[in-house]
């Protein structure tokens, strides 16, 4: 495509050169010269600047956006190349795969399409390796056919600040160092640091209270957040401090924690520990042995302080081995000790000091996830979260503080379950949507809520290809698949009040039961009966099985002998009994699937299944129906096994053999249903004959309509 340009200077020049006789002879003639000027490429980027961000491995890059043609219009795409070897000096370097690689090789960050020419643009790049120098280069492509690219160059002082060292900050001090003392040992525990590049923790120990960091002795290192110090002398006080260290090449150490004391002693309250959640501190300890806790025992006593020193405030006396402190402030650290009054006026020595940093609870997940997909972009949106995971509302739901809600994180994976999730974006509490350019059809997305100390559990996962949603069971294998239209209905910009919770039930395993999971509706924190949440369309329950040497691997104690996948069946609990709903085997996915409208608990069991259609009386939900609209026994459901997906019909006859009506599909695949009506009206009470036909077989029996 070109631009039509009238070159008036050229017209004037031609007019001056024309002979006068031409004008005299043809005074009405006028010649106009029009030149088609081809559109040029986008302007070159000349002011790319890279600067360190606020967290480890984060970099900001800023530049002035070129246009479609020079600085005019809006270009099509950016291509960003990155090197950790040397600077990218020219187009030749830009195209050299041995020197420059795509941004996606180093970072999960996604760059949006260009904006209008002349605008200042800043992008945040995350996931880079701390302490490594990164060199950035950008070229722009326009919409033309064939497309034109801008040039990349650092010649003549262009783009002089296009490189930066990815920041590597000193780790934060670990929180909640606890020392749990018992005879001859001290068990240390502390919270894991939130920085992604923590390599190990250093344990310092001394037998004297030391005021300065330099006085503590480097004792050992561990990659865990727990360490048990053994072989200690009883009734000797040990002082411990912890520091966190990040990864090479530039290993940085956090400040040391305040010291925690360990005092091995067989006649003190042992295994004294504490944790914080829900704006409370929960304390627990080991019960004293009967030789110490005699009939003269009075109570356990818990002391608290706001300094790392023996407790000054008695907060609890109890005969139990647990206590809860609610008079605490989120974000503050408290120090606790326990002792026991083993006889009136006689107390044991106090336990070691336990430090607790008071936390709130994890926030609730976004309850709905809207998804819009176009040719070259995808937008996710959700309603603001106003509750903790236990459904307790934030103090001011419209203005949560950081320990209630601190933002949202968007993750991407290539499958809904058993996936490795990559962070796509971290967003503020005010941001309730994200747009991704040119998403891959194979990708799945989820959004989690975060606060100052915790992240929500996952809820909905949505597919780019189908727009269907998935609720993933805790086994990270089984899923509830929700059609796109129903998934959209779950999303309400005003904020939904319900979700579908998944849970595993290992207590059911054994015998013929290979797997047991549940998908349960919850509204405002209250678990509902599965029938209380009507799905607008059928959903799919996928129960995955594991294979070993070609047979289903047994699960649980006392499991049945191994069977082949075609001898497995799905069962559903209707609230009073388990109903066999069969299911279709997907050998590639190693899963049995049933299409249903029913939520609730499902099991995967080993059974003896025939190769063809079968139905028996055990597949009848109830033999007496009362079609009065009260929601109880209003319908009768007939469940059958149809592995060949054959045509199945069902009819109802009266006792004289006259046809009354035809059954309709039931709430799950492999079911038919009758609601006690015919021709739009209720049938008279009495005995009726059902007949189900498939594959040349007919199955008959009776049901009773009660009026």
């Amino acid at each position: 495509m070109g631009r039509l340009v009238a070159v008036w200077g050229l017209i004037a020049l031609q007019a001056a050169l024309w002979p006068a006789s031409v004008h005299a002879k043809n005074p009405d003639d006028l010649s106009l010269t029009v030149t088609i000027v081809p559109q040029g490429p986008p302007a070159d980027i000349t002011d790319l600047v890279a600067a360190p961000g606020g967290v480890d491995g984060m970099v900001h890059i800023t530049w002035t956006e070129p246009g479609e043609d020079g600085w005019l219009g809006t270009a099509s795409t950016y291509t960003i190349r990155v090197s950790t070897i040397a600077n990218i000096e020219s187009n030749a370097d830009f195209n050299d795969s041995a020197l420059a690689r795509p941004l996606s090789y180093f970072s999960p960050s996604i760059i949006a399409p260009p904006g209008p020419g002349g605008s200042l643009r800043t992008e945040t790049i995350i996931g880079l390796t701390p302490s490594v120098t990164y060199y950035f280069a950008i070229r722009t492509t326009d919409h033309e056919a064939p497309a034109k690219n801008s040039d990349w160059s650092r010649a003549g002082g262009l783009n002089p600040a296009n490189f930066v060292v990815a920041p590597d900050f000193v780790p934060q001090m670990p929180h909640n160092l606890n020392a749990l003392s018992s005879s001859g040992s001290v068990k240390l525990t502390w919270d894991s640091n939130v920085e992604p590049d923590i390599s190990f923790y250093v344990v310092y120990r001394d037998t004297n209270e030391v005021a300065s960091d330099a006085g503590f002795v480097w004792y050992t290192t561990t990659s865990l957040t727990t360490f048990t110090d053994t072989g200690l002398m009883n009734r000797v006080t040990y002082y411990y401090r912890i520091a966190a260290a990040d990864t090479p090449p530039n290993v940085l150490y956090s400040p040391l924690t305040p010291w925690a004391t360990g005092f091995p002693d067989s006649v003190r309250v042992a295994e004294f520990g504490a944790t914080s959640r829900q704006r409370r501190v929960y304390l627990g300890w080991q019960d004293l042995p009967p030789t110490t806790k005699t009939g003269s025992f009075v109570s356990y006593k818990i002391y608290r302080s706001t300094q790392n020193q023996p407790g000054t405030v008695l907060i609890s006396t109890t005969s139990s081995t647990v206590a809860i402190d609610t008079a605490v402030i989120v974000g503050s650290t408290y120090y606790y000790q326990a002792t026991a009054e083993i006889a009136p006026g006689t107390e044991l020595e106090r336990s070691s000091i336990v430090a607790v940093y008071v936390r709130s609870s994890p926030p609730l997940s976004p309850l709905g996830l809207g998804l819009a997909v176009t040719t070259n972009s995808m937008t996710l949106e959700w309603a603001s979260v106003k509750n903790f995971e236990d459904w307790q509302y934030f103090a001011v739901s419209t203005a949560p503080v950081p320990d209630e809600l601190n933002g949202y994180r968007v993750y991407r994976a290539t499958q809904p379950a058993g996936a490795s999730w990559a962070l796509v974006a971290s967003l503020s509490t005010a941001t309730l949507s994200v747009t991704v350019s040119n998403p891959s059809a194979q990708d799945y997305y989820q959004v989690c809520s975060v606060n100052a100390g915790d992240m929500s559990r996952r809820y909905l996962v949505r597919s780019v290809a189908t727009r269907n949603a998935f609720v993933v069971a805790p086994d990270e294998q089984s899923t509830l698949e929700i059609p796109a239209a129903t998934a959209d209905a779950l999303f309400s910009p005003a904020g939904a009040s319900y979700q579908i919770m998944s849970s595993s039930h290992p207590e059911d395993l054994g015998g013929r039961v290979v797997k047991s999971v549940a998908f349960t509706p919850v509204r405002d924190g209250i678990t509902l009966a599965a029938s209380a949440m009507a799905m607008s369309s059928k959903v799919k329950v996928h129960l995955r099985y594991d294979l070993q040497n070609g047979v289903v691997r047994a699960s649980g104690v006392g499991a049945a002998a191994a069977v082949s996948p075609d001898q497995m069946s799905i069962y559903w609990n209707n609230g009073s009994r388990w109903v066999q709903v069969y299911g279709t085997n997907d050998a590639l996915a190693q899963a049995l699937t049933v299409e249903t409208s029913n939520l609730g608990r499902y099991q995967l069991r080993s059974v003896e299944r025939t190769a063809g259609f079968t139905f028996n009386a055990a597949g009848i939900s109830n033999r007496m129906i009362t079609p009065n609209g009260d929601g109880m026994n209003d319908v009768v459901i007939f469940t059958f096994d149809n592995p060949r997906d054959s045509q199945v019909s069902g009819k109802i006859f009266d006792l004289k053999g006259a046809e009354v009506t035809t059954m309709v599909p039931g709430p799950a695949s492999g079911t038919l249903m009758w609601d006690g009506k015919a021709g739009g009206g209720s049938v008279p009470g009495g005995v009726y004959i059902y007949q189900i036909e498939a594959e040349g077989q007919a199955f008959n029996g009776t049901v009773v309509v009660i009026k």
Side-chain angles (χ1 to χ4, degrees):
M1 181 182 71
R3 288 172 299 140
L4 187 63
V5 180
V7 188
W8 298 107
L10 180 59
I11 294 172
L13 178 61
Q14 290 177 332
L17 295 176
W18 283 335
S21 61
V22 172
H23 292 278
K25 183 178 180 181
N26 300 299
D28 296 327
D29 290 346
L30 176 63
S31 295
L32 176 65
T33 299
V34 177
T35 302
I36 305 299
V37 180
Q39 186 173 5
D44 298 339
I45 293 174
T46 62
D47 60 349
L48 177 63
V49 175
V55 300
D56 288 356
M58 175 186 287
V59 166
H60 303 297
I61 55 174
T62 303
W63 68 95
T64 301
E65 299 202 85
E68 168 85 355
D69 180 21
W71 295 101
L72 300 176
T74 301
S76 174
T77 57
Y78 285 119
T79 301
I80 298 182
R81 304 280 284 178
V82 185
S83 175
T84 57
I85 302 172
N87 220 318
I88 304 168
E89 299 287 349
S90 62
N91 284 345
D93 289 349
F94 194 94
N95 296 320
D96 185 353
S97 60
L99 172 65
R101 294 179 179 269
L103 175 64
S104 60
Y105 182 84
F106 301 96
S107 168
S109 297
I110 298 174
I111 305 302
S119 304
L120 192 64
R121 173 75 167 270
T122 297
E123 290 287 346
T124 298
I125 311 300
I126 62 174
L128 303 177
T129 302
S131 301
V132 172
T133 300
Y134 289 86
Y135 304 87
F136 296 88
I138 305 181
R139 289 173 63 179
T140 316
T141 302
D142 63 15
H143 294 85
E144 299 304 307
K148 301 181 183 67
N149 297 320
S150 65
D151 290 326
W152 170 258
S153 176
R154 295 187 74 248
L158 302 180
N159 303 300
N162 69 316
F163 59 92
V164 67
V165 177
D168 188 8
F169 295 101
V170 173
Q172 294 186 8
M173 176 195 303
H175 286 303
N176 286 345
L177 174 61
N178 291 333
L180 309 178
S181 301
S182 53
S183 182
S185 69
V186 174
K187 181 180 180 181
L188 303 176
T189 61
W190 58 93
D191 290 347
S192 176
N193 276 50
V194 298
E195 296 90 345
D197 63 335
I198 295 300
S199 177
F200 60 89
Y201 297 91
V202 182
V203 179
Y204 295 80
R205 190 188 77 179
D206 209 304
T207 54
N208 295 303
E209 179 183 338
V210 181
S212 67
D213 291 358
F216 265 81
V217 178
W218 180 307
Y219 182 51
T220 189
T221 63
T222 176
S223 60
L224 306 176
T225 55
T226 181
F227 170 73
T228 301
D229 197 7
T230 59
L232 304 177
M233 296 180 61
N234 282 337
R235 305 192 68 76
V236 172
T237 300
Y238 294 84
Y239 298 84
Y240 297 91
R241 302 178 78 177
I242 304 293
D246 62 10
T247 55
N250 185 22
V251 179
L252 301 175
Y253 296 89
S254 74
L256 271 65
T257 63
W259 47 259
T261 59
F263 189 84
D265 191 345
S266 58
V267 292
R268 297 206 316 177
V269 174
E271 298 292 337
F272 179 57
T275 186
S276 174
R277 63 183 186 277
Q278 298 173 323
R279 303 181 177 183
R280 295 170 170 82
V281 174
Y282 298 84
L283 304 113
W285 54 93
Q286 190 180 78
D287 207 0
L288 289 170
T291 54
T292 303
K293 189 179 178 183
T294 65
S296 301
F297 177 81
V298 178
S299 68
Y300 292 104
K301 294 183 175 181
I302 308 299
Y303 291 88
R304 185 186 70 196
S305 176
T306 56
Q307 303 293 328
N308 192 3
Q309 62 188 26
T312 56
V313 178
L314 178 65
I315 65 162
S316 177
T317 59
T318 177
S319 60
S320 176
T321 56
V322 294
I324 302 175
D325 188 7
T326 59
V328 291
I329 299 173
V330 171
S332 300
T333 300
Y334 296 88
Y335 302 84
Y336 296 89
Q337 284 181 295
T339 186
E341 189 174 1
I342 58 175
T346 302
E347 290 187 4
L348 297 177
E349 290 190 41
R350 292 189 184 181
S351 70
S352 58
I353 296 176
V354 172
V356 180
Y357 180 81
V358 181
R359 298 184 180 278
S360 56
S361 295
L364 193 64
S365 301
L367 296 181
L369 195 57
L371 174 62
V373 180
T374 63
T375 303
N376 54 11
S377 71
M378 177 204 74
T379 298
L380 290 166
E381 59 178 331
W382 55 94
S384 59
V385 172
K386 302 177 181 179
N387 310 73
F388 288 111
E389 187 177 69
D390 62 0
W391 291 84
Q392 176 185 349
Y393 277 93
F394 302 149
V396 180
S397 60
T398 57
V401 296
D403 78 277
E404 294 173 328
L405 184 67
N406 206 25
Y408 303 95
R409 292 179 184 172
V410 181
Y411 292 90
R412 179 183 67 240
T414 56
Q415 56 188 28
S420 177
W421 291 92
L423 178 64
V424 174
S426 294
L427 307 170
S428 71
T429 57
T431 304
L432 301 177
S433 67
V434 64
T435 298
V436 177
S437 298
N438 300 314
S440 170
Q442 68 178 351
D443 284 343
Y444 296 80
Y445 285 83
Q446 64 168 309
V447 179
C448 294
S449 313
V450 293
N451 61 20
D454 297 283
M455 185 167 70
S456 67
R457 70 176 70 180
R458 74 162 66 181
Y459 176 35
L460 285 180
V461 175
R462 295 209 66 168
S463 162
V464 174
T466 65
R467 296 185 58 254
N468 290 354
F470 295 81
V471 178
V472 181
D475 66 358
E476 280 293 332
Q477 295 180 326
S478 303
T479 61
L480 175 73
E481 183 177 0
I482 304 171
T486 305
D488 291 340
L490 287 174
F491 168 64
S492 167
S497 62
Y498 57 81
Q499 66 180 155
I500 302 172
M501 296 291 295
S502 64
S503 58
S504 288
H505 295 271
E507 69 276 11
D508 293 348
L509 302 183
R512 291 183 176 273
V513 180
V514 174
K515 178 158 292 185
S516 182
V517 299
F519 299 99
T520 310
V522 175
R523 178 176 286 115
D524 292 324
I526 300 174
T527 300
L528 307 176
S531 60
M533 182 177 168
M535 308 299 288
S536 59
S537 63
K538 291 180 180 178
V539 297
K540 293 181 179 179
V541 175
H542 305 282
L543 299 186
R544 191 178 185 278
Y545 52 82
D546 294 318
L547 290 177
Q548 187 173 17
N549 298 325
V551 296
V552 177
R553 189 171 65 189
S555 301
V557 178
V563 296
S564 61
D566 59 0
Q567 294 299 307
M568 304 296 296
S569 183
I570 295 177
Y571 282 73
W572 169 67
N573 193 298
N574 66 3
S576 60
R577 65 186 182 94
W578 288 96
V579 178
Q580 186 177 14
V581 294
Y582 301 99
T584 302
N585 182 37
D586 183 339
L588 183 62
Q590 291 183 207
L592 255 66
T593 297
V594 62
E595 193 171 13
T596 177
S597 299
N598 299 315
L599 300 178
R601 188 181 295 195
Y602 286 84
Q603 290 183 349
L604 190 59
R605 299 184 184 182
S606 60
V607 297
E608 294 182 5
R609 294 181 67 171
T610 63
F613 180 88
T614 184
F615 171 79
N616 59 59
I620 303 176
S621 62
N622 46 284
R623 289 186 175 278
M624 297 185 181
I625 59 175
T626 56
N628 54 12
D630 64 356
M632 299 179 62
N633 296 322
D634 284 335
V635 299
V636 56
I637 298 172
F638 303 86
T639 303
F640 47 82
D641 191 10
N642 189 17
R644 298 193 185 111
D645 197 23
S646 301
Q647 182 70 34
V648 182
S649 64
K651 294 183 178 181
I652 301 295
F653 301 88
D654 62 21
L655 289 178
K656 296 180 180 180
E659 182 177 331
V660 175
T661 189
T662 300
M663 299 181 198
V664 298
S669 55
T671 63
L672 292 172
M673 181 176 68
W674 182 44
D675 60 1
K677 296 179 181 179
S682 297
V683 300
V687 178
Y688 290 84
I689 300 171
Y690 68 81
Q691 180 174 288
I692 296 175
E693 291 185 287
E695 297 180 359
Q697 303 179 79
F699 301 86
N700 299 287
T702 59
V703 293
V704 179
V705 176
I706 300 176
K707 291 295 187 75

